[in-house]
Amino acid sequence: MAQPDWHPDTKAVHGHTAVSLAGIDPVNPPIYYSSTFRANSAAQFAEMASEERHPGFYTRYGNPTHEQVASVLASLEGTETAMVTASGMGAISTAVLSLVKAGDHVIAQTRHYMATAKLFDEMLPRFGVETSIVEQADLDAIEAAIKPNTRLIFVETPANPTLVLTDLAAVVEIARKHSKSEGDDKILTLADNTFAGPFNCRPADLGIDVVLHSATKSMGGHSDITAGAICTSRSLASVMWETSLTLGSVLSPMDAWLLLRGLRTLPLRMERINSNALELASWLEQQPEVTKVHYPMLQSHAQHDIARKQMKGGGPVVAVEVKGGYEQTSRFVAALRLDSQAVSLGGVETLAVHTAAMWTGSMNEEQMAAAGISPNFVRLSVGLENIDDLKRDFAQALAVTV
Ligand SMILES: *Cc1c(COP(=O)(O)O)cnc(C)c1O
């Protein structure tokens, strides 16, 4: 069922296409756990092999379970189509590598998910693609970075881990203003929408060309799969599909099915996550043991006006700075009872990461300071627990450690 006029909350439940087999019509679609599919004639075989994104030829080319979840993803993000990949990095690398060639220039941000930063800082330059890394809150810097050979602008908002925002409509405007051509040859804008998610922010509605997700996070929502999503136009998806055949970031049909299952409750989960996260962030801001709370929906967020303009809710990630140094912060995170000390975000359970501890092996103090990570910085992903229990848990952990 592809009903164009339903609300996204309804599409999350009904957006997949019904599949009917020999008179059996399951309400919940089956998993097509097959790597390959039969043809019953030479003509059909030729058609299967040549048709773009045929869902029943070979699973790296397409799979009916991929197609079902992709149609829900496109509905949620408001794009013509969507593709799934084996991870968020699979989506990001496939999308970016599809669009650039040696001699092109790309603009990215100072704050990115670590593996994304490596793509821009290290990998693309090795292949002769020039990159400019600019401060994402500074629109003038983004505009000033544009060159005659600029191919794309990549943004991530809110950005990991400091929750700095990028004004999406303004970036689209900059790209439009400086594009010398139209269509897919213009300066393309790509947004990693993992932190906000389509319930809170729809970048394509603001003119962003490609919306990317780590569906491992809120979209899957249960900390049980890794998956990625590319939501875009049919013409760009066509180019990305070609590239995906070579890069091979293929989502397992089982994980595609679990993603479909997760998406049905995405709107409901996000409502609760938004309210829990905002309430916990506001409460933490009032605690004497806390020096700073970063959350887009707090009045105190430096870019709260942008949050109000482009986001419906703040999403799961709240960053907290506590009084004291590295040791106290480590003890505080360890004293939390409901919060597992684990990476990732957007699951049903609350998670806490002592960011400086996570990066001690791979960054020196200077690099951490540049990334906005102080020794007392804690990144939370707020889950679905009862809010009073969460506050009680944080209160006891703050009381004993800070
Ligand atoms: C987790 C994450 C990624 C990478 O996704 P994987 O599914 O782990 O490959 C990319 N961007 C953001 C913002 C993320 O949080």
Side-chain angles (χ1 to χ4, degrees):
M1 284 183 281
Q3 316 92 331
D5 300 331
W6 299 123
H7 189 277
D9 294 5
T10 306
K11 288 178 177 169
V13 179
H14 286 285
H16 62 272
T17 42
V19 178
S20 202
L21 276 176
I24 299 167
D25 192 1
V27 168
N28 186 37
I31 309 173
Y32 284 81
Y33 228 121
S34 190
S35 59
T36 189
F37 299 82
R38 243 179 238 118
N40 44 33
S41 68
Q44 196 197 3
F45 190 60
E47 184 200 309
M48 279 157 53
S50 58
E51 188 186 307
E52 189 176 306
R53 299 171 75 188
H54 194 294
F57 169 60
Y58 182 64
T59 287
R60 182 159 38 78
Y61 286 59
N63 175 289
T65 311
H66 288 170
E67 196 173 70
Q68 294 201 320
V69 68
S71 75
V72 177
L73 290 164
S75 301
L76 290 175
E77 283 293 1
T79 52
E80 278 178 5
T81 187
M83 277 167 60
V84 285
T85 55
S87 69
M89 286 319 302
I92 291 167
S93 59
T94 301
V96 172
L97 293 172
S98 298
L99 300 177
V100 295
K101 60 180 188 317
D104 283 346
H105 169 248
V106 306
I107 299 173
Q109 305 175 165
T110 51
R111 308 271 159 86
H112 275 307
Y113 185 77
M114 182 55 81
T116 306
K118 281 198 179 203
L119 173 68
F120 292 113
D121 294 344
E122 296 173 19
M123 196 182 273
L124 291 185
R126 277 205 278 131
F127 296 105
V129 177
E130 205 188 335
T131 59
S132 294
I133 308 297
V134 299
E135 177 52 56
Q136 61 257 48
D138 186 349
L139 293 169
D140 293 337
I142 296 175
E143 184 157 20
I146 291 190
K147 299 184 180 196
N149 56 341
T150 300
R151 177 70 182 119
L152 60 90
I153 305 176
F154 189 102
V155 301
E156 181 184 324
T157 178
N160 186 46
T162 50
L163 302 160
V164 183
L165 306 180
T166 306
D167 186 329
L168 292 165
V171 167
V172 167
E173 189 47 44
I174 291 169
R176 270 196 196 131
K177 188 171 143 197
H178 293 274
S179 284
K180 290 182 291 283
S181 38
E182 308 248 301
D184 294 346
D185 292 330
K186 68 182 184 196
I187 299 175
L188 294 168
T189 50
L190 288 74
D192 182 338
N193 194 32
T194 302
F195 270 38
F199 183 79
N200 287 324
C201 178
R202 298 223 311 182
D205 290 352
L206 302 170
I208 292 285
D209 298 298
V210 185
V211 182
L212 299 157
H213 274 280
S214 169
T216 310
K217 315 291 168 54
S218 305
M219 285 185 152
H222 296 75
S223 308
D224 50 9
I225 58 166
T226 60
I230 303 173
C231 305
T232 187
S233 65
R234 275 191 204 94
S235 61
L236 286 173
S238 168
V239 179
M240 291 172 192
W241 176 77
E242 278 298 330
T243 307
S244 77
L245 295 183
T246 299
L247 295 182
S249 176
V250 188
L251 184 62
S252 122
M254 178 75 198
D255 289 356
W257 185 86
L258 283 169
L259 177 55
L260 184 62
R261 180 187 175 119
L263 288 174
R264 293 192 190 112
T265 55
L266 178 71
L268 194 61
R269 286 184 286 108
M270 288 316 295
E271 267 178 36
R272 175 67 166 260
I273 283 176
N274 283 342
S275 73
N276 268 4
L278 180 57
E279 193 167 339
L280 187 67
S282 311
W283 178 84
L284 283 166
E285 221 174 17
Q286 283 148 29
Q287 304 313 304
E289 301 92 344
V290 171
T291 54
K292 175 93 189 137
V293 179
H294 307 258
Y295 192 63
M297 288 299 151
L298 288 178
Q299 297 273 359
S300 60
H301 190 283
Q303 299 165 293
H304 184 59
D305 55 328
I306 299 175
R308 299 276 307 259
K309 195 170 70 161
Q310 68 188 29
M311 297 171 79
K312 205 164 97 182
V317 182
V318 176
V320 191
E321 293 176 50
V322 294
K323 262 193 194 143
Y326 186 94
E327 286 307 321
Q328 275 143 317
T329 309
S330 278
R331 273 188 279 131
F332 161 65
V333 173
L336 290 165
R337 292 182 192 140
L338 288 174
D339 303 42
S340 303
Q341 201 167 160
V343 293
S344 199
L345 58 109
V348 294
E349 63 285 296
T350 299
L351 302 176
V353 171
H354 182 194
T355 317
M358 182 163 97
W359 294 121
T360 36
S362 44
M363 278 196 222
N364 61 32
E365 256 170 52
E366 219 166 79
Q367 286 167 318
M368 275 200 233
I373 304 162
S374 49
N376 60 339
F377 193 98
V378 178
R379 192 189 82 181
L380 307 172
S381 171
V382 180
L384 305 181
E385 296 92 344
N386 175 277
I387 184 64
D388 295 326
D389 286 346
L390 284 176
K391 286 187 207 164
R392 272 201 301 167
D393 191 25
F394 277 86
Q396 66 78 24
L398 288 169
V400 297
T401 53
V402 182

